[in-house]
Amino acid sequence: MLLTGFSALLPVLASVAGANPVSKRACSSDLKVQLQNGTVNGVVDPATPGVRQFLGIPYAQPPLGDLRFAPPQPLATPYGEFNATQLPRSCIQYATKNPNIYNQLVPEFLPGGVDSPGPISEDCLTVSVWAPRGTTRKDLPVIMFIFGGSFQYGGEDIPYLIPAEWVQRTQDHIVVTFNYRLNIFGYPNAAGIPTEEQNPGLLDQRFAVEWVRDNIAAFGGDPKRIGLWGESAGAISVGTYGYAYPQDPIVNTFLMDSGSEFFPPSVLYISTLDKRHTSFSIVAANVGCGSLSPAEELACMRKVDALTIINFLQQYQDSFAQPPITFIPIVDGRTFFLDYNARAQAGKIAKLPTLIGTNAQEGVAFVPYGINGVNETLANAVTFGTFFCPAYKSATDRLADGIPVYRYLYSGSFTNISPAPFLGAYHESELPLIMGTHPLYRGNSTEFEYQVTNLMQDSWLTFVASSGDPATMSANVGWPEWDNTATGLVRSFAPAPGVVATNVSLRAFETLCPAVDQPNIPTATA
């Protein structure tokens, strides 16, 4: 009963061993904040009157013209006075028309919600800050969230991921979200770009972290207590971040929901094989930039209208055209690596407390979806092989390097988040509980759901506020450090009806995980 849903994996595994649509108002002096590049004016949402919102603040130059596909650059001039009162446009992307559980059942996980992808633009490198209103504290812990979306889509305007409700409840922390470049604009893998600059989307993330370090005190935040939290592609980003900046991570903790540096081994390194930069050149040839030298191709692609590029990507990828093309982080030796296991053994990782976990039915979102649901056997195999085992490997590598690790399993299945019975605790379904948005769509939540959300919110916040202190985590939220023994305990949230959380051993599952030190990468033709 403790591992409801997740325990169904054992037989299979053994055999295969928009913007929030509310009116807002700006007023009073506490909504005017002086930053390094100017003054920003915030806003209060009547639905969360105890929260100051500063939305869409630029943290880098717009990546336009010659800055398209390039690393982020500091703002060239101060912006003077900036009205940070509306959720910003998301980075340029497209919404697939192919049916999946998100666009058919739970569009609140998509940027713009039912109007996904909502407003988009290349001028998108912005941060949004949610801070409590009724406090004069200057040392509030800060949680900085990196959204997921397969490195293809996402933004600050995802309805389920607006953190105002969380800040309204606690009045004790700040949440920051931000945009970073996606798809071909964030991971071009173009022949005309130096290898160390091929992942501008990941470089955007570091730039945003630096902005928070330099500016968060003006909002009442503690620059020495910034927790870097990501989900899915965001969790992959957090996992790799610790290896990219081992000596200067800036943040004090890492939190990884449903992803890690080892996730998923069969997909993340596909673009590493593209030594000929074929994906970029296919796009270039179809938007008027074909048959050019690498430098000419890049220069031409920087002049093509961004919507022309993204519209071609949507048509090509939604039709499953051949050859397949992909734009995801590549191994650049700067932000993304091929030897995480060796790096961990050599101590080339930021030694920060790490929280990492998996949802019990992650795989439901990644297998073919139809009117009758999904193939549960296949979905369970995806949950185990693509999520649970890579997370376990990330945890063991960190533990071996002396890093405190806290693990969790989320099994909650609530009808206002999982409207179809087969969904269960699917990929992302924990986020509305942590953000506090669970009662905003498809009906109010049950008392049990509120109990689970309160504990999860308190757990994530306690982890960051205490810098992962074992005594504080145990005393305040009952979460023990994990020790990778047969009795090593994992926090299990909502494991059964009426059970908010308990601590369990997942050894029966861990022993079935194959060696996932690194994926086997075929030799690519240069």
Side-chain angles (χ1 to χ4, degrees), residues 78-395:
Y79 42 69
E81 191 154 343
F82 183 84
N83 289 326
T85 57
Q86 296 183 35
L87 284 168
R89 295 176 180 268
S90 296
C91 289
I92 194 159
Q93 59 191 272
Y94 74 88
T96 180
K97 292 180 170 58
N98 296 328
N100 57 54
I101 68 168
Y102 299 107
N103 60 26
Q104 300 296 305
L105 298 174
V106 281
E108 294 81 11
F109 283 108
L110 301 175
V114 295
D115 298 319
S116 182
I120 56 174
S121 173
E122 271 196 280
D123 184 359
C124 63
L125 299 184
T126 62
V127 301
S128 293
V129 179
W130 282 264
R133 194 171 191 195
T135 180
T136 58
R137 285 180 57 187
K138 300 296 182 182
D139 63 345
L140 294 170
V142 181
I143 296 181
M144 187 172 181
F145 181 68
I146 307 179
F147 59 77
S150 304
F151 297 104
Q152 306 304 302
Y153 65 90
E156 295 165 58
D157 63 341
I158 299 173
Y160 259 151
L161 305 188
I162 304 296
E165 301 287 344
W166 187 6
V167 177
Q168 173 72 26
R169 172 182 171 257
T170 71
Q171 293 292 297
D172 202 32
H173 76 302
I174 291 173
V175 179
V176 178
T177 65
F178 66 100
N179 288 335
Y180 58 96
R181 280 172 285 180
L182 305 162
N183 51 71
I184 191 173
F185 296 94
Y187 315 97
N189 193 14
I193 298 176
T195 299
E196 66 274 12
E197 297 181 2
Q198 292 284 9
N199 293 329
L202 296 183
L203 296 175
D204 291 344
Q205 295 175 3
R206 172 66 177 193
F207 225 66
V209 172
E210 292 173 350
W211 185 95
V212 172
R213 175 197 62 196
D214 297 340
N215 291 280
I216 203 63
F219 300 94
D222 184 352
K224 295 183 179 179
R225 289 194 299 169
I226 303 169
L228 191 60
W229 172 37
E231 189 273 340
S232 193
I236 297 169
S237 301
V238 172
T240 64
Y241 182 99
Y243 290 90
Y245 308 102
Q247 302 303 320
D248 183 27
I250 298 177
V251 301
N252 76 329
T253 48
F254 294 133
L255 304 91
M256 294 185 283
D257 290 22
S258 307
S260 74
E261 63 273 20
F262 291 105
F263 160 103
S266 61
V267 175
L268 263 186
Y269 299 95
I270 290 175
S271 59
T272 302
L273 308 182
D274 190 7
K275 301 294 187 181
R276 293 178 175 174
H277 311 282
T278 302
S279 291
F280 189 85
S281 292
I282 287 174
V283 177
N286 281 275
V287 296
C289 297
S291 302
L292 299 174
S293 71
E296 292 171 335
E297 178 187 64
L298 181 62
C300 180
M301 284 287 283
R302 282 175 166 158
K303 296 176 182 177
V304 177
D305 180 72
L307 288 177
T308 298
I309 295 174
I310 205 68
N311 288 340
F312 169 76
L313 280 180
Q314 177 167 20
Q315 178 184 16
Y316 193 94
Q317 294 184 315
D318 269 8
S319 65
F320 303 103
Q322 296 295 320
I325 60 176
T326 184
F327 297 99
I328 54 179
I330 71 162
V331 173
D332 61 356
R334 179 182 181 183
T335 62
F336 214 80
F337 308 93
L338 192 60
D339 57 345
Y340 290 110
N341 192 60
R343 284 178 171 271
Q345 291 176 353
K348 296 179 179 179
I349 181 175
K351 293 178 171 54
L352 299 181
T354 300
L355 184 157
I356 183 169
T358 303
N359 290 357
Q361 285 85 35
E362 300 269 14
V364 166
F366 297 92
V367 297
Y369 159 73
I371 59 173
N372 295 319
V374 300
N375 182 313
E376 291 187 8
T377 300
L378 180 58
N380 286 339
V382 172
T383 297
F384 185 78
T386 306
F387 291 91
F388 179 79
C389 286
Y392 173 63
K393 177 57 183 173
S394 177

Side-chain angles (χ1 to χ4, degrees), residues 414-437:
F414 303 102
T415 56
N416 58 355
I417 298 173
S418 302
F422 71 87
L423 289 172
Y426 61 95
H427 190 65
E428 292 192 272
S429 63
E430 87 288 2
L431 293 178
L433 277 83
I434 303 172
M435 292 295 190
T437 52

